Amino acid sequence: MNPSLQPFVRMQTLLRLLGVALLVLGLSACASAPPKVRSDVTAFHNWPEKLPASTYSFKLPADTDAASIEVQNYQNLIADQLARYGIDKRTDAGGGLRVSFSTQVGSREVKVREPVDPFLYGGYYRPWGWGPYWGPWGIPERQYNVEVFVRTLKLNIDDAAGKRLFETTVVSQGRIRELSAVMPAMIAAAFEGFPGESGKTRVVEIPLEQPLAAAPSTSKR
């Protein structure tokens, strides 16, 4: 290397490593914040100004086990939200509003790029940076794939005659595959600002009540 370029190279390396340190500090600050479930909420409704009754019952799909403790837990969460809006008389005798819901979990792989310490990952110096993990912005990085889970909640409210009054779809994505862990936040998101503006998708963030470990990633350096 040309001796005259050595001070410039040292300064360039120090600035890049400083950038890595600042990024790590930023990530640490984010990690210390309370975790939240971020959901896309889309609702359509013909909600009346005055409901004819405040009673309701749950209508389950034919393939749903009504005795399931998990299903009953979700029903209780929905009941708590309905009570916030004066719909607080649950009955199993029929009549009143009919509430139905369904859930689904899918997954997809996402490529992640993150800054790294070039010395830790065995990079080597070249005039244009450390290889082979030098990113496009002049910061050393690595790439790997993670499995992201797509969680979906669909919830409908019909009147006693079967007319649809309200329907909403809540979609969240994250590293937690257990639906039971994120469902309290997703149900809360479904009723945030109920009934809301019809036909508009909103982003709602609700704190995660009981954080769980994320699913293991498939690292590809």
Side-chain angles (χ1 to χ4, degrees):
M1 179 185 295
N2 189 330
S4 63
L5 295 177
Q6 289 182 353
F8 172 76
V9 171
R10 292 195 191 98
M11 179 60 69
Q12 187 182 48
T13 302
L14 287 174
L15 289 175
R16 286 170 173 169
L17 292 177
L18 178 60
V20 173
L22 291 175
L23 282 174
V24 170
L25 287 174
L27 292 173
S28 299
C30 292
S32 62
K36 294 184 178 181
V37 178
R38 179 185 176 95
S39 300
D40 293 328
V41 182
T42 306
F44 294 88
H45 66 83
N46 292 306
W47 199 254
E49 292 185 6
K50 185 177 181 180
L51 287 174
S54 60
T55 59
Y56 69 95
S57 59
F58 283 100
K59 180 182 179 182
L60 297 178
D63 59 348
T64 300
D65 181 8
S68 167
I69 297 176
E70 180 181 10
V71 171
Q72 292 176 6
N73 183 49
Y74 298 159
Q75 289 178 334
N76 291 336
L77 291 171
I78 294 172
D80 290 341
Q81 293 296 326
L82 289 171
R84 294 174 54 200
Y85 299 97
I87 308 171
D88 55 0
K89 296 181 177 63
R90 179 176 173 180
T91 176
D92 295 326
L97 301 176
R98 300 176 182 176
V99 181
S100 60
F101 66 94
S102 62
T103 60
Q104 183 179 356
V105 180
S107 67
R108 63 189 180 92
E109 279 202 345
V110 175
K111 180 174 289 187
V112 176
R113 302 168 69 169
E114 67 180 16
V116 298
D117 182 343
F119 300 101
L120 178 63
Y121 284 89
Y124 56 88
Y125 184 78
R126 297 175 295 186
W128 54 89
W130 289 90
Y133 309 114
W134 204 256
W137 303 108
I139 297 175
E141 65 176 27
R142 66 168 178 161
Q143 299 182 12
Y144 57 95
N145 291 339
V146 298
E147 187 175 15
V148 173
F149 297 93
V150 183
R151 294 92 48 142
T152 303
L153 164 68
K154 292 181 179 292
L155 187 146
N156 302 324
I157 302 177
D158 301 339
D159 67 11
K163 179 183 177 181
R164 181 63 44 85
L165 300 180
F166 176 83
E167 63 184 37
T168 186
T169 301
V170 183
V171 180
S172 70
Q173 301 184 49
R175 299 291 310 285
I176 298 175
R177 65 161 60 91
E178 291 82 1
L179 191 60
S180 59
V182 297
M183 189 53 61
M186 293 180 64
I187 290 175
F191 286 94
E192 187 70 20
F194 177 85
E197 184 176 347
S198 184
K200 183 178 180 180
T201 299
R202 301 173 293 119
V203 176
V204 181
E205 294 186 345
I206 303 294
L208 185 65
E209 292 184 354
Q210 296 180 343
L212 296 180
S217 63
T218 304
S219 179
K220 296 182 180 179
R221 297 181 187 173

